[in-house]
Amino acid sequence: MVCRSCGRPDPQPFLDLGHTPLADALVKPDAVGRPEDRFPLVVAYCPRCHLVQITEEVPQERLFVDNYLYFSSFSDIVTSHGRAHADNLVETRGLGADSLVVELASNDGYLLRRFLDAGVPVLGIDPAPDQAAAAIAQGVPTLTEFFGIAMAERLRSNGTGADVIIANNVMAHVPDLNGFVAGMAHLLNEDGLITVENPTVQDLIDHGEFDTVYHEHFCYYSCLSVDALVRRHGLFLNDVEYFPELHGGTLRWYIEKRDAPTERLAERLAHERQAGLDDFAYYADFGDRVEGIKADLLALLRDLADQGRTVAGYGAAAKGATLLNSVGIGTDLVAWVVDRNTHKQGLHMPGTNQEIRDPAVLLTDAPDHVLLLAWNHIAEIRVQQEEYLARGGRFIVPVPTPKVL
Ligand code: JHZ
Ligand code: ZN
């Protein structure tokens, strides 16, 4: 393969998670036990533009149209983080009735709804049919399509231009990166602003977050790789903010058509160079470290099973599917999983078959331990599960080091 950003041949592989099923391809009860499609999951580094990426390319329709039940609104911290950003943009950009905010991967519309409530026109774009329908149902105009340069040209020729483009947790999800960024550049008004958010590759590596690798995530970004990517399309990375608690460590990048880098960005770029994110050596031993985490987690769970302890999982997250499958955690070690997303309840985890149940069963069935598959939401889950913990239930976190809390 060639690098998805700069086209250099043969990015250098450093992590192989084997063949895994698609992380969001939850299984209907009557299909449990039938063979599931599996795809290689290998992560590689491009020494020219510093982009970390997976080598496999599963068709986007399979990932985000046929098998996608992620609804942003089931996470309170995610929605409040987004709403604060919206309020801030309305104020600092002076947005009003003549402005247009476009969101790529607008999901169920929770973020754009906030702009509408402030009197700012919006356009959502998201190919996931149920999420787009939910957005439309709450009054958020949404195009149920994949975004790219072709769509941007079509919108432009209809006279549409964006003052703000928001792309949260989507730039990692596109195989044709350059088409996506070219599309943003084409759609953005001359004095407009793009904000992009994604978990950072630095936190992935430093905190052993290997479970955030799955086929939906084609790319894993740093300021270095984003800078190289957007420059190719006449855009400039000018500012950055860091949210250490969001999705295991998220960066928000501010991108414009003018070249005006802030001190804060310069510091972050220097920090990434100092850490070695522009050198393969930084990534080289990650595969071995992941093998260690996997072995420790398996030993911990086997030990609990030997002691007759019951273990459930919290969060039918995509990262949960990677964790269960790459470690090899069957229903003998984690019996079932809970998730408050009602669209996921009643289905089963891909590959490892755990049934997905309502979180209320943590009190009625009272497992001794709960493995936090959605460890990124620990603060929120802790508050919700106060009663389970008060009765003596224990949480287990899988990363950076598997441990019983
Ligand atoms: P969560 C998703 O990954 C998918 P996942 C996607 N590919 C992406 O890029 C990242 O997000 C950013 C549930 N839950 O957010 C909701 C509770 O049950 O870690 C979700 O099903 N109770 C777009 O799937 C799951 O857990 C709660 O209190 O790894 C968490 O999934 C909370 C807060 C969540 O993302
Ligand atoms: Zn490259």
Side-chain angles (χ1 to χ4, degrees):
M1 70 161 306
V2 300
C3 170
R4 285 196 176 84
S5 179
C6 75
R8 182 189 186 277
D10 302 323
Q12 299 166 268
F14 63 87
L15 175 67
D16 186 344
L17 292 169
H19 285 62
T20 63
L22 300 181
D24 271 313
L26 303 179
V27 180
K28 296 207 175 80
D30 59 359
V32 171
R34 282 199 219 134
E36 293 158 73
D37 288 340
R38 288 173 177 268
F39 303 88
L41 196 51
V42 174
V43 189
Y45 165 77
C46 173
R48 183 155 78 193
C49 74
H50 317 304
L51 182 64
V52 171
Q53 52 205 295
I54 60 167
T55 56
E56 189 72 11
E57 199 158 307
V58 175
Q60 270 187 306
E61 285 72 18
R62 285 201 65 172
L63 297 169
F64 303 110
V65 180
D66 304 346
N67 293 301
Y68 200 64
L69 293 172
Y70 182 83
F71 283 69
S72 306
S73 290
F74 286 102
S75 306
D76 299 340
I77 289 172
V78 169
T79 54
S80 58
H81 165 86
R83 287 181 184 127
H85 184 43
D87 294 350
N88 195 263
L89 285 171
V90 171
E91 203 185 304
T92 57
R93 307 294 296 182
L95 301 177
D98 299 332
S99 314
L100 179 68
V101 175
V102 175
E103 188 184 10
L104 311 178
S106 43
N107 199 278
D108 53 22
Y110 79 95
L111 183 61
L112 289 181
R113 188 63 250 175
R114 189 75 172 187
F115 288 99
L116 281 181
D117 293 344
V120 181
V122 301
L123 176 64
I125 300 174
D126 200 306
D130 296 345
Q131 289 79 348
I136 291 165
Q138 55 161 329
V140 176
T142 305
L143 298 173
T144 314
E145 286 175 61
F146 285 102
F147 178 77
I149 181 66
M151 185 187 207
E153 278 167 355
R154 205 179 77 216
L155 289 169
R156 262 284 170 218
S157 64
N158 294 338
T160 304
D163 298 299
V164 172
I165 298 177
I166 299 175
N168 290 348
N169 294 305
V170 59
M171 210 162 78
H173 299 60
V174 286
D176 178 14
L177 259 189
N178 286 299
F180 188 85
V181 177
M184 290 201 290
H186 196 65
L187 189 60
L188 188 70
N189 291 338
E190 227 25 62
D191 57 354
L193 170 71
I194 301 170
T195 73
V196 171
E197 284 179 31
N198 264 110
T200 83
V201 72
Q202 188 168 10
D203 282 302
L204 192 170
I205 301 292
D206 290 354
H207 304 140
E209 300 166 357
F210 70 96
D211 52 348
T212 61
V213 174
Y214 41 85
H215 299 96
E216 285 167 28
H217 289 168
F218 295 94
C219 299
Y220 306 81
Y221 291 100
S222 58
C223 294
L224 290 164
S225 58
V226 169
D227 186 60
L229 170 63
V230 301
R231 265 174 204 280
R232 202 175 295 125
H233 301 280
L235 296 170
F236 299 92
L237 173 58
N238 283 335
D239 199 6
V240 62
E241 278 179 282
Y242 180 46
F243 302 93
E245 304 300 330
L246 192 69
H247 295 301
T250 287
L251 287 175
R252 176 189 288 152
W253 295 287
Y254 291 82
I255 297 161
E256 295 167 286
K257 291 193 169 172
R258 62 190 184 117
D259 187 4
T262 57
E263 189 58 32
R264 186 158 64 165
L265 176 74
E267 278 166 18
R268 189 95 206 165
L269 283 164
H271 163 80
E272 289 186 356
R273 285 201 188 89
Q274 203 170 13
L277 268 73
D278 54 355
D279 185 348
F280 181 68
Y282 175 74
Y283 308 91
D285 70 343
F286 188 60
D288 289 340
R289 281 169 46 211
V290 169
E291 286 311 316
I293 298 171
K294 283 163 59 180
D296 290 350
L297 181 60
L298 197 57
L300 176 82
L301 293 173
R302 283 195 176 135
D303 205 38
L304 291 171
D306 290 346
Q307 294 170 39
R309 302 284 176 79
T310 50
V311 183
Y314 195 113
K319 66 175 70 63
T322 294
L323 189 88
L324 295 170
N325 281 282
S326 64
V327 177
I329 302 172
T331 50
D332 53 332
L333 296 179
V334 170
W336 37 268
V337 164
V338 298
D339 196 294
R340 91 175 159 147
N341 179 340
T342 44
H343 307 270
K344 295 185 179 180
Q345 291 167 12
L347 300 172
H348 291 249
M349 293 304 284
T352 53
N353 292 342
Q354 286 86 358
E355 189 192 354
I356 301 161
R357 307 173 70 190
D358 187 303
V361 299
L362 290 181
L363 291 183
T364 53
D365 286 23
D368 298 311
H369 292 79
V370 170
L371 173 63
L372 294 184
L373 299 169
W375 48 261
N376 48 320
H377 297 300
I378 185 166
E380 201 170 332
I381 294 170
R382 222 182 226 143
V383 175
Q384 286 162 24
Q385 294 304 324
E386 221 176 339
E387 180 64 19
Y388 168 76
L389 294 169
R391 292 186 193 176
R394 306 285 295 271
F395 284 163
I396 303 169
V397 288
V399 297
T401 310
K403 63 170 179 253
V404 180
L405 298 182

